[in-house]
Amino acid sequence: MYTEKVMDHFQHPRNVGEIDNASGVGTVGNAKCGDIMRIYLDIDENQIIRDVKFKTFGCGAAVATSSMATELVKGKNIQEAMQVTNRAVMEALDGLPPVKVHCSLLAEEAIHAALWDYAEKNHIKIEGLEKPKSDIHEDEEEEEEY
Amino acid sequence: MEKLIYLDNAATTKTSPEVVEAMLPYFTEHYGNPSSVYGFAAANKEVITKQREIIADVLGAKSNEVYFTAGGTESDNWALCAAAEAYASKGRHIITSKIEHHAILHTCEYLEKRGYEVTYLDVDENGIVPPKAVEDAIREDTILISIMFANNEIGSIQPIAEIGKIAHEHGILFHTDAVQAFTQIPVNVDECHIDMLSASGHKLNGPKGIGFLYIRKGVRIRSFIHGGAQERKRRAGTENVPGIVGLGKAVTLAASSMKERGEKETELRDYLIGRIEKEIPYSRLNGDRVKRLPNNVNFSFRFIEGESLLIMLDMKGICASSGSACTSGSLDPSHVLLAIGLPHEIAHGSLRLTLGADTTKEEVDYVVDCLKEIVPQLRSMSPLYEDFVRRQEKNKD
């Protein structure tokens, strides 16, 4: 069902983790549809992404696209990071099954959400960047107990 | 590759070698069409009758009440559509539950589009349909009640005898999808007041592509497949003789081993449940602890997603299934897990392990050991777990 690259990134995900005092953090997706991605960015004064980490709740494709997206933006400046589209992530993974394409979209959105957070914190505007739609911080914070 | 550990027996089972052996002559030697006149072929008619008797005997039914079909899904479709059509002059209301198999639910949706009204009953938190709810849902125009004998995902065994009694008292036709229950637990059509019952061969170590529908004598039901005179003209088409022979053999074997197998599986099931509950934190057993199929274990592991878990288990040679959306091709997790009240993200993290007659304690131990490794690994990359840990730390301060 998955390509070798997807399986490789699922089994050995790159850049899993958190960054303390990150320059930007973005969380997208929701528990309802079963995928949540969080990206942490560490961006230096020259707007270069020095480090990137991710955490993902989701299927194999969700983990693999997060992992690949972090690899693609690491070391890039923020304008270059904006060019990392879902298509680029998918191509880098040698493709995804059609039902999993939304995972790659989520990866792109997660990067954008983290960049948006960085831009807000630093009061700058990033060319072509729009406010993320599906940030879960706002409405799904409460704990569901059973 | 290490040995395969198959714990998905609710999906399908291995065809037992005795069943294959019984079937083989019906491909190459006794291949005659049972409807033919000459003795060589006509003997197959008797062979089919014999299998019908075997099944009827297990159900406490008469042999001419058993109709062979291509499987459980066909039986469910036939029972619902044909009964709805036959009784349409009496009414157009059907009662079923929210935890039925899609073979029932999607057939009900089809009937709704054709002018029938369907009540989908809620279940309790253990996945049991309360008989009182069935009684309360009955209307003047109710023509059919269809409640599964036992659930395929969480194994909950329904109070079929009580529900059947209610249906019987109100003079309403009662169908049950017994695909998971038949030969796993005792099923008697008279004791449970069952008018129609669906079952399938490949769930009980029989072949795929064969099943049956039990139809009580006197039930008005339309023919489903039109053609020749096979199956008393109700389900036409040349009989799947090897399949029928295989089903008969599988039922013979499964019925005779049911008690012993059930006891062994129940013990192993409860051992597996106990180990997971004790050794993996934030896990939750789904379904009833006691009114449960002997071979079913279903857990939700919080903060992780089912498909990831299945891939990790697969890499360790373990076959299992999940109610996660990602394994169903839709965005919604299992309708059964939502019906018992699980929030979406917990339903996404479900794992179903269904034991077989051959499952050993060693295999179960290996699975738990793997889960103890995989679950924390997936949690370590889950943002939901990260948030949970942070909240806990905050609460401590």
Side-chain angles (χ1 to χ4, degrees):
Chain A
M1 159 168 147
Y2 290 134
T3 66
E4 268 178 44
K5 278 217 175 127
V6 172
M7 286 305 286
D8 177 39
H9 275 261
F10 173 70
Q11 290 178 57
H12 313 285
R14 280 62 147 178
N15 307 310
V16 176
E18 301 158 37
I19 297 176
D20 289 333
N21 305 314
S23 317
V25 185
T27 306
V28 297
N30 64 66
K32 202 163 183 267
C33 75
D35 291 303
I36 298 175
M37 285 183 198
R38 178 171 296 160
I39 300 262
Y40 294 86
L41 295 174
D42 176 22
I43 300 172
D44 70 11
E45 60 284 2
N46 299 318
Q47 299 194 331
I48 305 285
I49 298 172
R50 246 190 326 223
D51 198 9
V52 50
K53 296 278 184 204
F54 84 90
K55 288 240 172 142
T56 289
F57 164 86
C59 60
V63 172
T65 52
S66 318
S67 168
M68 182 53 89
T70 59
E71 285 225 305
L72 292 177
V73 301
K74 198 169 179 174
K76 303 272 169 65
N77 68 40
I78 58 174
Q79 276 312 325
E80 287 166 334
M82 283 297 296
Q83 306 307 313
V84 176
T85 60
N86 80 302
R87 193 167 294 277
V89 172
M90 270 208 306
E91 275 167 16
L93 287 168
D94 295 336
L96 285 174
V99 293
K100 302 290 185 184
V101 172
H102 73 278
C103 294
S104 63
L105 274 166
L106 216 54
E108 177 188 318
E109 283 174 21
I111 299 284
H112 287 186
L115 285 171
W116 180 267
D117 184 44
Y118 163 75
E120 286 225 303
K121 279 179 183 158
N122 294 281
H123 311 290
I124 58 167
K125 197 175 177 313
I126 297 172
E127 190 68 36
L129 183 63
E130 284 168 27
K131 187 174 167 35
K133 308 185 272 287
S134 50
D135 196 308
I136 62 155
H137 278 290
E138 281 149 38
D139 49 16
E140 291 192 55
E141 195 65 78
E142 78 272 19
E143 169 84 343
E144 281 182 275
E145 285 295 340
Y146 58 85
Chain B
M1 178 80 192
E2 62 218 82
K3 191 181 154 224
L4 192 75
I5 297 182
Y6 186 76
L7 292 177
D8 203 14
N9 286 283
T12 194
T13 56
K14 178 166 82 176
T15 312
S16 64
E18 292 107 308
V19 169
V20 176
E21 204 186 322
M23 291 170 72
L24 283 176
Y26 292 89
F27 289 102
T28 49
E29 288 170 54
H30 314 299
Y31 53 82
N33 188 325
S35 300
S36 301
V37 171
Y38 38 85
F40 156 69
N44 282 351
K45 200 94 197 164
E46 281 165 45
V47 169
I48 292 172
T49 303
K50 179 83 193 98
Q51 312 313 311
R52 225 187 285 282
E53 283 165 5
I54 289 169
I55 292 166
D57 198 42
V58 173
L59 287 171
K62 296 182 221 37
S63 67
N64 60 7
E65 295 175 316
V66 174
Y67 297 81
F68 292 112
T69 66
T73 295
E74 182 190 316
S75 298
D76 284 345
N77 272 262
W78 181 13
L80 265 54
C81 289
E85 202 187 321
Y87 287 80
S89 59
K90 193 193 158 208
R92 292 184 152 248
H93 180 235
I94 297 165
I95 298 170
T96 187
S97 82
K98 286 189 178 162
I99 61 162
E100 298 298 312
H101 189 273
H102 284 135
I104 294 290
L105 292 178
H106 289 165
T107 305
C108 283
E109 285 165 23
Y110 167 87
L111 289 169
E112 280 180 301
K113 285 192 197 123
R114 275 149 190 83
Y116 291 85
E117 259 186 88
V118 182
T119 300
Y120 300 91
L121 296 173
D122 286 321
V123 294
D124 68 15
E125 70 278 9
N126 291 328
I128 307 277
V129 178
K132 173 86 171 57
V134 177
E135 184 142 42
D136 291 348
I138 292 174
R139 311 189 321 206
E140 267 306 284
D141 60 342
T142 305
I143 51 168
L144 175 67
I145 297 171
S146 179
I147 303 289
M148 69 200 327
F149 212 105
N151 183 263
N152 50 311
E153 289 187 41
I154 56 174
S156 52
I157 299 170
Q158 305 303 321
I160 288 301
E162 286 171 71
I163 294 169
K165 189 162 173 277
I166 291 166
H168 186 78
E169 281 166 2
H170 287 82
I172 298 165
L173 213 55
F174 179 47
H175 167 256
T176 185
D177 172 349
V179 166
Q180 295 291 336
F182 182 58
T183 69
Q184 283 268 4
I185 52 173
V187 174
N188 182 291
V189 290
D190 284 346
E191 283 168 18
C192 297
H193 308 283
I194 294 164
D195 295 312
M196 294 186 284
L197 177 146
S198 307
S200 174
H202 74 105
K203 307 287 190 188
L204 43 106
N205 302 102
K208 293 168 181 64
I210 189 78
F212 68 86
L213 179 64
Y214 158 79
I215 307 173
R216 184 178 289 279
K217 194 164 180 290
V219 168
R220 275 192 290 145
I221 185 167
R222 300 286 166 97
S223 301
F224 191 53
I225 307 251
H226 309 282
Q230 295 90 354
E231 304 300 295
R232 296 156 63 85
K233 289 193 197 163
R234 284 176 155 181
R235 202 278 188 184
T238 298
E239 296 90 340
N240 173 1
V241 182
I244 292 169
V245 169
L247 176 61
K249 185 72 183 174
V251 170
T252 305
L253 295 170
S256 68
S257 67
M258 181 167 71
K259 191 166 179 288
E260 197 187 334
R261 177 167 39 92
E263 282 165 10
K264 184 199 151 202
E265 284 180 357
T266 302
E267 195 183 322
L268 207 52
R269 173 197 79 187
D270 291 342
Y271 171 73
L272 173 56
I273 290 172
R275 274 204 69 186
I276 292 176
E277 283 185 324
K278 211 165 88 193
E279 299 176 41
I280 302 178
Y282 312 117
S283 60
R284 176 199 200 274
L285 177 70
N286 297 316
D288 197 283
R289 218 168 265 278
V290 182
K291 293 172 204 150
R292 184 178 200 101
L293 286 175
N295 74 342
N296 176 288
V297 174
N298 188 309
F299 268 92
S300 284
F301 298 103
R302 289 181 69 189
F303 318 116
I304 65 171
E305 196 278 330
E307 193 211 78
S308 297
L309 184 56
L310 292 188
I311 300 173
M312 298 280 228
L313 286 170
D314 184 27
M315 292 189 297
K316 301 211 177 263
I318 300 165
C319 306
S321 76
S322 168
S324 140
C326 284
T327 58
S328 72
S330 82
L331 282 181
D332 283 321
S334 146
H335 64 284
V336 176
L337 298 176
L338 295 180
I340 60 168
L342 292 195
H344 272 79
E345 75 269 26
I346 294 174
H348 280 297
S350 78
L351 175 70
R352 180 185 73 180
L353 301 164
T354 39
L355 318 177
D358 304 335
T359 308
T360 64
K361 186 164 176 286
E362 287 69 36
E363 289 177 328
V364 165
D365 281 328
Y366 174 72
V367 171
V368 177
D369 292 344
C370 290
L371 284 172
K372 283 169 73 177
E373 191 184 308
I374 294 167
V375 171
Q377 194 185 336
L378 288 172
R379 279 180 180 158
S380 74
M381 60 167 113
S382 166
L384 294 175
Y385 188 62
E386 181 186 317
D387 292 346
F388 175 76
V389 172
R390 285 215 179 119
R391 268 195 302 273
Q392 278 196 321
E393 282 166 1
K394 220 199 284 176
N395 291 344
K396 258 185 239 159
D397 297 339

